[in-house]
Amino acid sequence: PNDTLTMAPGVIIKTLPEIPDRPSFNPYNYRTFDVEGMLIAEGTETEPIVFTSYRDHSAGGNTNAITDTTSASTRDWGEVILDDGSNSSTGITQHSRLGHLEMRYSSRGLRIQNGNQTFSDVLNDIKISDTYNENMNLNYGKYTVEGAVLERSEKGGGIRSNYDGDIIVRTSQIRDHGSFGLFAEGRNNSF
């Protein structure tokens, strides 16, 4: 908690599928990239930061075993999580900077829980595709999403906020989802 991770443009994170000996139908049993602090992950238009399946040959080449002929698909890995340690309002997640990111073939794409703080930077130029559940899950805070492309979730949708979320979406594309495009559940004070 309260540490900072900085990622350079062009970094590619390729993740293995679900954790062994856990049933694959449970989305919480997948490997995740979890930061309980501040993440500075600012790619560029020509060198985005990519989170994807180790079976995704379009990023970083062929990294799966020769005997593994399975193609990349939804639920090949978990999600990227930014969390202020049980939604603490004193953490530093709110100062994270995310831009020019791509996430593919996950169970969930990006989940942020921000301790009811205002996320100080715009979630800028984030592309999330081919997820099983929602592309973005933004809770416990205020967020601005701009220039996002959120597409092709098998079961869920584009952006979900069901716990105290306040979201502004600008110049973004949300399309081809199994359930919803934007879901803000008012019963838990999200709008």
Side-chain angles (χ1 to χ4, degrees), residues 77-152:
W77 62 283
E79 62 191 327
V80 174
I81 302 170
L82 296 179
D83 186 352
D84 253 340
S86 299
N87 303 315
S88 165
S89 61
T90 60
I92 61 173
T93 296
Q94 64 183 320
H95 302 297
S96 295
R97 295 194 315 267
L98 309 178
H100 293 287
L101 299 180
E102 295 181 14
M103 298 175 197
R104 302 188 284 255
Y105 304 114
S106 61
S107 179
R108 293 182 162 94
L110 173 65
R111 178 164 44 119
I112 304 175
Q113 299 188 156
N114 195 30
N116 290 318
Q117 302 295 311
T118 298
F119 200 81
S120 57
D121 198 42
V122 173
L123 297 169
N124 190 30
D125 293 307
I126 296 175
K127 297 178 182 176
I128 304 175
S129 64
D130 301 300
T131 61
Y132 181 71
N133 285 301
E134 59 274 349
N135 291 160
M136 283 186 181
N137 194 320
L138 306 174
N139 292 310
Y140 301 109
K142 296 182 180 186
Y143 307 91
T144 299
V145 177
E146 190 166 306
V149 177
L150 308 172
E151 56 190 358
R152 293 187 307 275

Side-chain angles (χ1 to χ4, degrees), residues 10-80:
V11 168
I12 299 171
I13 305 291
K14 296 182 85 166
T15 306
L16 292 168
E18 71 273 357
I19 297 170
D21 303 323
R22 292 192 186 174
S24 61
F25 61 85
N26 184 338
Y28 296 104
N29 291 339
Y30 292 89
R31 297 179 192 275
T32 62
F33 190 86
D34 193 348
V35 177
E36 288 187 11
M38 183 168 37
L39 176 62
I40 308 300
E42 295 178 298
T44 66
E45 192 170 327
T46 57
E47 290 186 294
I49 295 169
V50 179
F51 295 86
T52 190
S53 165
Y54 80 111
R55 293 181 173 127
D56 182 357
H57 306 322
S58 68
N62 185 350
T63 54
N64 57 317
I66 293 171
T67 57
D68 184 355
T69 57
T70 305
S71 297
S73 64
T74 66
R75 295 195 289 180
D76 267 0
W77 62 283
E79 62 191 327
V80 174

